[in-house]
Amino acid sequence: MLPPWVLLCLLLVGTVEPAGATLIRVPLRRVHPGHRILSPLNGWGPPTDPPRTRIAGDTPTFVPLSKFMNTQYFGDIGLGTPPQNFTVVFDTGSSNLWVPSMRCHFLSLPCWFHHRFNPKASSSFRPNGTKFAIQYGTGRLNGILSQDKLTIGGIHGASVIFGEALWEPSLVFVFAHFDGILGLGFPSLAVGGVQPPLDAMVVQGLLEKPIFSFYLNRDSEDSDGGELVLGGSDPAHYIPPLTFIPVTIPAYWQVHMESVKVGTGLSLCAQGCDAILDTGTSLITGPSEEIRALNKAIGGFPFLYGQYFIQCSRIPELPPVSFNLGGVWFNLTGQEYVIKILKNYADLCLLGFQALDIPKPEGPLWILGDVFLGSYVAVFDRGDKNTGPRVGLARAQPRTARPAGKRAAQAQFLRGRPG
């Protein structure tokens, strides 16, 4: 286990139409807990060019996930021919793909602790050379754009524009358990107006529908992190029905939230508010005044960077925290929203609610990160000419409740309105 100061540093840094198609599964692993390594919004900054038109397209794939300490999940991809392997965070809060480069600056320490892309080792590499820069809340990086083939799950040979990171001056990237980021947000978030990887796979006919879903395994006794499913969803991952909530602004996966309740007493977001479903954020964040009231009602005490702690022994008596989305209440128990990260040092647990004030015009916003998405499977559907973009939510199916050794043979596609 890393020392506490390193952990705290990383705290700053998811009617159906069945079809007999093979889903693309990407395995996920867990990374260190806490707030996203990226700045929770503006992680990639505004695009320099107008957003590209989305082309909707119907075939899924499964990508297994891995985990560390039940938060920040990541998985593996390949870039180039033959594929060079990288571990990336699959991030619904951004839309670019980047990895460290073999050509990174000698003094860029994170490059020496992670896999680096070597363009000379790939027969399919195509130079681009356009410079890019990303500013995060806790760090930054810059580099050049390049073009090569992406391998992810069962998908091979997708031609993508990605970033080669040449300079990563931030210490937080040194300790990260992943090499780079693969963004799954909308095209309007992409730096340089480049085509996001999901769009590229759909346009090139490698993925039939711009739909994907996350199952995040939060069982602390199980090393498996869950799965990213590209092209649809696996019904074995959740307990029906799915509740669909329309995306209000197609940039982040942003939806309207009716209200938030703590037990039977405190009500927040009383007049309705906006929320983002973000796999790149480990905790649930919200405006500081409301998060302060929420954590006070639970009995937590403040620490650094808008985070709150509580005695682990109090978990069984904690009240539920409930979120009203699409007219349905999504409840989290104390066991689900408390994270045990300092158990080797003290009987202290991290509460899964962090204060974060996002200024206008984007904010104020709530961010429903992995603490929420670990309990509820999220199906992210870009939509088509008949259906606008939306997110489907359903209670995650406990692994012990699934048939042993069996996977769902049918892909679930989300076209048409739910019955």
Side-chain angles (χ1 to χ4, degrees), residues 372-401:
F372 179 86
L373 296 171
S375 297
Y376 293 94
V377 167
V379 183
F380 298 85
D381 182 2
R382 286 279 202 89
D384 58 17
K385 62 182 180 180
N386 298 317
T387 304
R390 57 185 181 167
V391 178
L393 295 173
R395 170 63 74 168
Q397 178 77 270
R399 292 227 161 201
T400 54

mmCIF file of all heavy atoms in Angstrom, residues 372-401:
data_model
loop_
_atom_site.group_PDB
_atom_site.id
_atom_site.type_symbol
_atom_site.label_atom_id
_atom_site.label_comp_id
_atom_site.label_asym_id
_atom_site.label_seq_id
_atom_site.Cartn_x
_atom_site.Cartn_y
_atom_site.Cartn_z
ATOM 1 N N PHE A 372 -20.909 6.027 -7.387
ATOM 2 C CA PHE A 372 -22.280 5.801 -7.859
ATOM 3 C C PHE A 372 -22.325 4.690 -8.905
ATOM 4 O O PHE A 372 -23.145 3.766 -8.837
ATOM 5 C CB PHE A 372 -22.844 7.089 -8.441
ATOM 6 C CG PHE A 372 -24.252 6.967 -8.973
ATOM 7 C CD1 PHE A 372 -25.347 7.122 -8.130
ATOM 8 C CD2 PHE A 372 -24.483 6.682 -10.309
ATOM 9 C CE1 PHE A 372 -26.642 6.993 -8.611
ATOM 10 C CE2 PHE A 372 -25.773 6.557 -10.808
ATOM 11 C CZ PHE A 372 -26.854 6.714 -9.947
ATOM 12 N N LEU A 373 -21.414 4.738 -9.873
ATOM 13 C CA LEU A 373 -21.450 3.811 -11.002
ATOM 14 C C LEU A 373 -21.039 2.397 -10.620
ATOM 15 O O LEU A 373 -21.259 1.454 -11.388
ATOM 16 C CB LEU A 373 -20.551 4.330 -12.128
ATOM 17 C CG LEU A 373 -20.995 5.661 -12.745
ATOM 18 C CD1 LEU A 373 -19.938 6.199 -13.693
ATOM 19 C CD2 LEU A 373 -22.327 5.496 -13.468
ATOM 20 N N GLY A 374 -20.458 2.220 -9.443
ATOM 21 C CA GLY A 374 -20.163 0.871 -8.973
ATOM 22 C C GLY A 374 -21.409 0.139 -8.521
ATOM 23 O O GLY A 374 -21.465 -1.090 -8.545
ATOM 24 N N SER A 375 -22.427 0.877 -8.104
ATOM 25 C CA SER A 375 -23.684 0.268 -7.659
ATOM 26 C C SER A 375 -24.714 0.191 -8.777
ATOM 27 O O SER A 375 -25.652 -0.606 -8.695
ATOM 28 C CB SER A 375 -24.266 1.075 -6.485
ATOM 29 O OG SER A 375 -23.394 1.029 -5.373
ATOM 30 N N TYR A 376 -24.556 1.023 -9.797
ATOM 31 C CA TYR A 376 -25.519 1.066 -10.898
ATOM 32 C C TYR A 376 -24.798 0.985 -12.243
ATOM 33 O O TYR A 376 -23.950 1.823 -12.550
ATOM 34 C CB TYR A 376 -26.358 2.346 -10.826
ATOM 35 C CG TYR A 376 -27.255 2.355 -9.619
ATOM 36 C CD1 TYR A 376 -26.853 2.971 -8.430
ATOM 37 C CD2 TYR A 376 -28.489 1.698 -9.637
ATOM 38 C CE1 TYR A 376 -27.662 2.950 -7.300
ATOM 39 C CE2 TYR A 376 -29.303 1.674 -8.514
ATOM 40 C CZ TYR A 376 -28.879 2.300 -7.349
ATOM 41 O OH TYR A 376 -29.676 2.266 -6.229
ATOM 42 N N VAL A 377 -25.148 -0.028 -13.017
ATOM 43 C CA VAL A 377 -24.613 -0.140 -14.367
ATOM 44 C C VAL A 377 -25.149 1.011 -15.209
ATOM 45 O O VAL A 377 -26.337 1.347 -15.143
ATOM 46 C CB VAL A 377 -25.014 -1.495 -14.998
ATOM 47 C CG1 VAL A 377 -24.754 -1.500 -16.496
ATOM 48 C CG2 VAL A 377 -24.260 -2.625 -14.321
ATOM 49 N N ALA A 378 -24.279 1.637 -15.977
ATOM 50 C CA ALA A 378 -24.676 2.750 -16.847
ATOM 51 C C ALA A 378 -24.472 2.351 -18.298
ATOM 52 O O ALA A 378 -23.401 1.862 -18.673
ATOM 53 C CB ALA A 378 -23.871 4.001 -16.515
ATOM 54 N N VAL A 379 -25.508 2.559 -19.113
ATOM 55 C CA VAL A 379 -25.441 2.307 -20.549
ATOM 56 C C VAL A 379 -25.465 3.662 -21.244
ATOM 57 O O VAL A 379 -26.439 4.412 -21.138
ATOM 58 C CB VAL A 379 -26.621 1.438 -21.025
ATOM 59 C CG1 VAL A 379 -26.485 1.138 -22.511
ATOM 60 C CG2 VAL A 379 -26.696 0.142 -20.225
ATOM 61 N N PHE A 380 -24.372 4.001 -21.930
ATOM 62 C CA PHE A 380 -24.217 5.296 -22.577
ATOM 63 C C PHE A 380 -24.579 5.144 -24.056
ATOM 64 O O PHE A 380 -23.892 4.442 -24.807
ATOM 65 C CB PHE A 380 -22.786 5.795 -22.434
ATOM 66 C CG PHE A 380 -22.355 6.018 -21.005
ATOM 67 C CD1 PHE A 380 -21.854 4.970 -20.236
ATOM 68 C CD2 PHE A 380 -22.446 7.274 -20.423
ATOM 69 C CE1 PHE A 380 -21.456 5.173 -18.918
ATOM 70 C CE2 PHE A 380 -22.050 7.496 -19.117
ATOM 71 C CZ PHE A 380 -21.557 6.444 -18.361
ATOM 72 N N ASP A 381 -25.662 5.792 -24.476
ATOM 73 C CA ASP A 381 -26.195 5.642 -25.824
ATOM 74 C C ASP A 381 -26.159 6.987 -26.535
ATOM 75 O O ASP A 381 -26.842 7.926 -26.128
ATOM 76 C CB ASP A 381 -27.625 5.099 -25.740
ATOM 77 C CG ASP A 381 -28.268 4.864 -27.097
ATOM 78 O OD1 ASP A 381 -27.599 5.088 -28.124
ATOM 79 O OD2 ASP A 381 -29.451 4.471 -27.128
ATOM 80 N N ARG A 382 -25.360 7.099 -27.604
ATOM 81 C CA ARG A 382 -25.252 8.349 -28.341
ATOM 82 C C ARG A 382 -26.534 8.703 -29.082
ATOM 83 O O ARG A 382 -26.743 9.841 -29.478
ATOM 84 C CB ARG A 382 -24.116 8.250 -29.358
ATOM 85 C CG ARG A 382 -22.730 8.321 -28.754
ATOM 86 C CD ARG A 382 -22.347 9.779 -28.491
ATOM 87 N NE ARG A 382 -20.892 9.869 -28.413
ATOM 88 C CZ ARG A 382 -20.117 10.085 -29.457
ATOM 89 N NH1 ARG A 382 -20.637 10.240 -30.655
ATOM 90 N NH2 ARG A 382 -18.822 10.136 -29.311
ATOM 91 N N GLY A 383 -27.396 7.699 -29.346
ATOM 92 C CA GLY A 383 -28.646 7.962 -30.036
ATOM 93 C C GLY A 383 -28.506 7.948 -31.539
ATOM 94 O O GLY A 383 -27.429 7.774 -32.104
ATOM 95 N N ASP A 384 -29.634 8.133 -32.228
ATOM 96 C CA ASP A 384 -29.661 8.215 -33.681
ATOM 97 C C ASP A 384 -30.733 9.209 -34.087
ATOM 98 O O ASP A 384 -31.185 10.012 -33.268
ATOM 99 C CB ASP A 384 -29.901 6.833 -34.302
ATOM 100 C CG ASP A 384 -31.196 6.186 -33.827
ATOM 101 O OD1 ASP A 384 -32.078 6.899 -33.272
ATOM 102 O OD2 ASP A 384 -31.350 4.964 -34.005
ATOM 103 N N LYS A 385 -31.183 9.170 -35.343
ATOM 104 C CA LYS A 385 -32.160 10.144 -35.814
ATOM 105 C C LYS A 385 -33.502 10.016 -35.118
ATOM 106 O O LYS A 385 -34.298 10.957 -35.097
ATOM 107 C CB LYS A 385 -32.348 10.012 -37.326
ATOM 108 C CG LYS A 385 -32.882 8.658 -37.765
ATOM 109 C CD LYS A 385 -32.995 8.589 -39.283
ATOM 110 C CE LYS A 385 -33.521 7.227 -39.731
ATOM 111 N NZ LYS A 385 -33.625 7.145 -41.215
ATOM 112 N N ASN A 386 -33.777 8.826 -34.539
ATOM 113 C CA ASN A 386 -35.050 8.609 -33.846
ATOM 114 C C ASN A 386 -34.936 8.778 -32.340
ATOM 115 O O ASN A 386 -35.915 9.076 -31.671
ATOM 116 C CB ASN A 386 -35.589 7.208 -34.156
ATOM 117 C CG ASN A 386 -35.870 7.000 -35.630
ATOM 118 O OD1 ASN A 386 -36.432 7.871 -36.286
ATOM 119 N ND2 ASN A 386 -35.442 5.860 -36.162
ATOM 120 N N THR A 387 -33.769 8.588 -31.811
ATOM 121 C CA THR A 387 -33.561 8.643 -30.362
ATOM 122 C C THR A 387 -32.379 9.536 -30.054
ATOM 123 O O THR A 387 -31.282 9.308 -30.575
ATOM 124 C CB THR A 387 -33.286 7.231 -29.806
ATOM 125 O OG1 THR A 387 -34.353 6.364 -30.173
ATOM 126 C CG2 THR A 387 -33.165 7.265 -28.292
ATOM 127 N N GLY A 388 -32.569 10.530 -29.218
ATOM 128 C CA GLY A 388 -31.469 11.402 -28.825
ATOM 129 C C GLY A 388 -30.543 10.692 -27.859
ATOM 130 O O GLY A 388 -30.826 9.598 -27.364
ATOM 131 N N PRO A 389 -29.394 11.300 -27.549
ATOM 132 C CA PRO A 389 -28.456 10.680 -26.600
ATOM 133 C C PRO A 389 -29.071 10.534 -25.220
ATOM 134 O O PRO A 389 -29.825 11.391 -24.768
ATOM 135 C CB PRO A 389 -27.269 11.651 -26.589
ATOM 136 C CG PRO A 389 -27.819 12.952 -27.082
ATOM 137 C CD PRO A 389 -28.907 12.600 -28.041
ATOM 138 N N ARG A 390 -28.752 9.460 -24.558
ATOM 139 C CA ARG A 390 -29.340 9.164 -23.247
ATOM 140 C C ARG A 390 -28.455 8.192 -22.480
ATOM 141 O O ARG A 390 -27.562 7.556 -23.049
ATOM 142 C CB ARG A 390 -30.740 8.583 -23.426
ATOM 143 C CG ARG A 390 -30.775 7.337 -24.288
ATOM 144 C CD ARG A 390 -32.191 6.851 -24.542
ATOM 145 N NE ARG A 390 -32.194 5.646 -25.347
ATOM 146 C CZ ARG A 390 -33.252 4.874 -25.522
ATOM 147 N NH1 ARG A 390 -34.398 5.186 -24.932
ATOM 148 N NH2 ARG A 390 -33.203 3.793 -26.268
ATOM 149 N N VAL A 391 -28.727 8.077 -21.191
ATOM 150 C CA VAL A 391 -28.018 7.139 -20.330
ATOM 151 C C VAL A 391 -29.041 6.224 -19.667
ATOM 152 O O VAL A 391 -30.049 6.706 -19.131
ATOM 153 C CB VAL A 391 -27.200 7.871 -19.246
ATOM 154 C CG1 VAL A 391 -26.510 6.866 -18.335
ATOM 155 C CG2 VAL A 391 -26.180 8.802 -19.872
ATOM 156 N N GLY A 392 -28.811 4.926 -19.718
ATOM 157 C CA GLY A 392 -29.662 3.964 -19.025
ATOM 158 C C GLY A 392 -29.011 3.507 -17.739
ATOM 159 O O GLY A 392 -27.815 3.206 -17.715
ATOM 160 N N LEU A 393 -29.765 3.477 -16.649
ATOM 161 C CA LEU A 393 -29.239 3.080 -15.342
ATOM 162 C C LEU A 393 -30.060 1.930 -14.765
ATOM 163 O O LEU A 393 -31.289 1.916 -14.862
ATOM 164 C CB LEU A 393 -29.264 4.249 -14.363
ATOM 165 C CG LEU A 393 -28.362 5.444 -14.667
ATOM 166 C CD1 LEU A 393 -28.644 6.579 -13.683
ATOM 167 C CD2 LEU A 393 -26.888 5.035 -14.600
ATOM 168 N N ALA A 394 -29.382 0.957 -14.160
ATOM 169 C CA ALA A 394 -30.046 -0.150 -13.474
ATOM 170 C C ALA A 394 -29.123 -0.662 -12.380
ATOM 171 O O ALA A 394 -27.884 -0.588 -12.512
ATOM 172 C CB ALA A 394 -30.401 -1.274 -14.444
ATOM 173 N N ARG A 395 -29.696 -1.195 -11.322
ATOM 174 C CA ARG A 395 -28.910 -1.731 -10.205
ATOM 175 C C ARG A 395 -27.995 -2.848 -10.707
ATOM 176 O O ARG A 395 -28.399 -3.743 -11.424
ATOM 177 C CB ARG A 395 -29.853 -2.252 -9.123
ATOM 178 C CG ARG A 395 -29.198 -3.049 -8.010
ATOM 179 C CD ARG A 395 -28.204 -2.270 -7.174
ATOM 180 N NE ARG A 395 -28.806 -1.329 -6.255
ATOM 181 C CZ ARG A 395 -28.118 -0.726 -5.276
ATOM 182 N NH1 ARG A 395 -26.819 -0.971 -5.122
ATOM 183 N NH2 ARG A 395 -28.718 0.148 -4.491
ATOM 184 N N ALA A 396 -26.696 -2.756 -10.351
ATOM 185 C CA ALA A 396 -25.734 -3.767 -10.765
ATOM 186 C C ALA A 396 -26.086 -5.120 -10.151
ATOM 187 O O ALA A 396 -26.491 -5.207 -8.985
ATOM 188 C CB ALA A 396 -24.324 -3.347 -10.351
ATOM 189 N N GLN A 397 -25.935 -6.159 -10.942
ATOM 190 C CA GLN A 397 -26.217 -7.523 -10.485
ATOM 191 C C GLN A 397 -25.029 -8.058 -9.699
ATOM 192 O O GLN A 397 -23.904 -8.088 -10.220
ATOM 193 C CB GLN A 397 -26.455 -8.425 -11.696
ATOM 194 C CG GLN A 397 -26.720 -9.881 -11.383
ATOM 195 C CD GLN A 397 -28.122 -10.126 -10.881
ATOM 196 O OE1 GLN A 397 -28.364 -10.067 -9.675
ATOM 197 N NE2 GLN A 397 -29.042 -10.376 -11.789
ATOM 198 N N PRO A 398 -25.220 -8.457 -8.447
ATOM 199 C CA PRO A 398 -24.103 -9.045 -7.691
ATOM 200 C C PRO A 398 -23.564 -10.269 -8.418
ATOM 201 O O PRO A 398 -24.317 -11.054 -8.982
ATOM 202 C CB PRO A 398 -24.742 -9.427 -6.353
ATOM 203 C CG PRO A 398 -25.969 -8.573 -6.255
ATOM 204 C CD PRO A 398 -26.456 -8.389 -7.658
ATOM 205 N N ARG A 399 -22.263 -10.442 -8.405
ATOM 206 C CA ARG A 399 -21.653 -11.561 -9.118
ATOM 207 C C ARG A 399 -22.153 -12.896 -8.600
ATOM 208 O O ARG A 399 -22.283 -13.854 -9.358
ATOM 209 C CB ARG A 399 -20.135 -11.506 -8.978
ATOM 210 C CG ARG A 399 -19.529 -10.339 -9.701
ATOM 211 C CD ARG A 399 -18.335 -10.758 -10.515
ATOM 212 N NE ARG A 399 -18.058 -9.746 -11.526
ATOM 213 C CZ ARG A 399 -17.359 -9.990 -12.611
ATOM 214 N NH1 ARG A 399 -16.929 -11.196 -12.858
ATOM 215 N NH2 ARG A 399 -17.141 -9.043 -13.486
ATOM 216 N N THR A 400 -22.435 -12.986 -7.314
ATOM 217 C CA THR A 400 -22.891 -14.247 -6.729
ATOM 218 C C THR A 400 -24.267 -14.643 -7.218
ATOM 219 O O THR A 400 -24.674 -15.789 -7.093
ATOM 220 C CB THR A 400 -22.926 -14.146 -5.198
ATOM 221 O OG1 THR A 400 -23.732 -12.999 -4.825
ATOM 222 C CG2 THR A 400 -21.520 -13.965 -4.633
ATOM 223 N N ALA A 401 -25.010 -13.679 -7.807
ATOM 224 C CA ALA A 401 -26.358 -13.959 -8.288
ATOM 225 C C ALA A 401 -26.380 -14.425 -9.732
ATOM 226 O O ALA A 401 -27.425 -14.770 -10.269
ATOM 227 C CB ALA A 401 -27.238 -12.717 -8.147
#
